Amino acid sequence: MVTEGILTRILQHDPALENYGLVIFDEFHERNLNGDLGLALTLQTQALLRPELRVLVMSATLDGAPVAALLGDAPIVTSEGRSFPVETRWVPRRQDQRIEGAMAAAISDALERHDGDLLAFLPGAGEIHRTRELLAARPLTAHRSPLTDIIPLFGLLPQAEQDRALRPSPPGRRKVVLATSIAETSLTIEGVTIVVDSGLARVPRFNPGSGMTRLATVRVSRASADQRRGRAGRTAPGVCYRLWAQAEEPGLIPRATPEILEADLAPLALDLAAQGISDPATLRWLDPPPAGAFAQARELLTELGALDAAGAVTPHGRAMAELPVHPRLAHMLIASATTGDADLAASVAALLEDRDLLRGSGGPPDPDIELRLNALRDREPGPNVDRDTLRRVR
């Protein structure tokens, strides 16, 4: 059991996948960049080196026909499963209302009206923390919710805290799990019969002008909204509150845009170069990388010394591909070893790979990197330092 990124590393060292007879891609509807690359490389291995290698793609919501065609008209096996009926209620928030306030009000109302545990979907950790503070200030002491635990759930939480959200509630207690999209499909949360959906998600967006990726808050797709709604009917009949108007439903896009069409392709281009592939058109893709973005990625890799003038990977590029960070950071880390700055480079790379560990007071924090390096070194971090982020960076 590995992530798609680790699969790419395995293929770089063992292109024939000699030790494996079957590769399964689960939750493929998420269409992340590493998943698309892993499938393309695996299909190349199957075509050139291992015709007997079996490939299985699984998903709860993916349109199976295009994937089956990509796999050479592979058979589609469908399991309907069992789900309980889920009532949908639309409670659109006001134009001037922040999402945290609207979510806290909807959650409180749902707890009053219905039994069972509640799963709420918010776009990110910041909104989760602010909603949690609003709920903590509300009197959740009605007859239906005398003892309610409010538990956050997002990918960067320590494993023990994630496990707490997944465990069944003790007798006599209820729980409210405030989660990101991580809880859409990958995790099963025991006891949930109520879902409150903000209708928002946070996704990476690459800006070709700046060459940088930022996180953008977007409307969820129809498939994601239906997936979230279905979490209320896993073990019993349930209810789903949606914080938008029913008339807005047709305006939702059917499915989320595959990451490969909008992402920074420098990591993808480096992984392909390490495999000896300069033209992605030689591989089979569900959605091929956009030509302009891929050309820009190769131009960056040439500037970093990862590709030579002919476009072939260099020894420096191979060393960069071994490091599980963005090529810019990989170049910095390798170069720092020759200047005696490896400790500083590692600290800067760790800071840039994670969320900002400084929190602003009424506005964005000072962007000076030195402030973050000092916070990283301090034995007693100040009140404006996010402890969870500091722990991960260290």
Side-chain angles (χ1 to χ4, degrees), residues 58-379:
M58 302 199 303
S59 166
T61 61
L62 187 71
D63 181 6
V67 181
L70 182 71
L71 299 182
D73 294 324
I76 299 176
V77 179
T78 303
S79 172
E80 296 296 342
R82 184 185 72 171
S83 62
F84 292 89
V86 177
E87 177 190 355
T88 303
R89 298 188 179 187
W90 288 269
V91 284
R93 65 183 171 112
R94 302 189 311 272
Q95 292 272 340
D96 61 343
Q97 191 177 22
R98 287 181 60 95
I99 190 62
E100 298 91 345
M103 287 293 287
I107 289 168
S108 298
D109 182 56
L111 288 173
E112 285 278 347
R113 295 173 180 270
H114 310 284
D115 293 312
D117 292 339
L118 185 149
L119 172 60
F121 286 97
L122 288 128
E127 291 85 355
I128 286 175
H129 289 312
R130 289 189 289 273
T131 302
R132 187 183 189 185
E133 290 172 358
L134 290 173
L135 287 172
R138 285 173 173 263
L140 298 177
T141 56
H143 70 283
R144 287 186 178 271
S145 51
L147 296 169
T148 304
D149 299 312
I150 305 170
I151 307 172
L153 178 62
F154 49 91
L156 296 178
L157 277 177
Q159 188 63 47
E161 293 188 39
Q162 292 193 38
D163 291 343
R164 180 177 173 230
L166 303 182
R167 286 195 296 267
S169 297
R173 300 191 71 90
R174 302 176 73 183
K175 69 181 175 187
V176 173
V177 178
L178 307 177
T180 61
S181 297
I182 188 176
E184 269 183 35
T185 56
S186 304
L187 303 170
T188 296
I189 302 175
E190 297 286 346
V192 168
T193 58
I194 313 164
V195 164
V196 179
D197 186 2
S198 68
L200 301 174
R202 192 150 291 143
V203 297
R205 287 285 187 267
F206 178 61
N207 184 336
S210 66
M212 302 296 288
T213 297
R214 64 181 180 85
L215 288 174
T217 302
V218 300
R219 294 286 301 274
V220 295
S221 68
R222 199 173 306 129
S224 290
D226 289 343
Q227 194 72 22
R228 292 177 175 189
R229 176 180 176 274
R231 308 308 282 183
R234 297 295 292 268
T235 58
V239 62
C240 173
Y241 285 70
R242 288 177 168 174
L243 266 67
W244 62 90
Q246 186 174 3
E248 298 177 58
E249 297 265 320
L252 299 179
I253 60 174
R255 288 179 174 79
T257 303
E259 187 181 4
I260 197 169
L261 299 181
E262 298 181 327
D264 178 1
L265 297 184
L268 173 76
L270 181 58
D271 284 333
L272 290 179
Q275 294 282 96
I277 301 168
S278 59
D279 182 3
T282 60
L283 300 177
R284 288 151 58 192
W285 304 89
L286 204 53
D287 292 283
F294 191 78
Q296 183 182 34
R298 286 182 61 84
E299 182 180 342
L300 170 64
L301 295 177
T302 302
E303 292 176 1
L304 296 176
L307 304 180
D308 61 22
V313 68
T314 64
H316 180 60
R318 290 195 179 279
M320 288 168 56
E322 290 292 322
L323 297 177
V325 293
H326 189 279
R328 294 179 188 269
L329 300 182
H331 170 72
M332 176 184 69
L333 289 167
I334 294 168
S336 71
T338 64
T339 63
D341 296 315
D343 287 348
L344 175 61
S347 296
V348 171
L351 286 166
L352 294 177
E353 278 281 279
D354 213 306
R355 298 178 59 201
D356 191 358
L357 59 77
L358 294 189
R359 294 180 295 211
S361 178
D366 191 313
D368 189 355
I369 191 71
E370 191 71 32
L371 296 174
R372 289 146 181 84
L373 289 167
N374 290 337
L376 194 57
R377 298 168 184 141
D378 287 346
R379 288 182 175 274

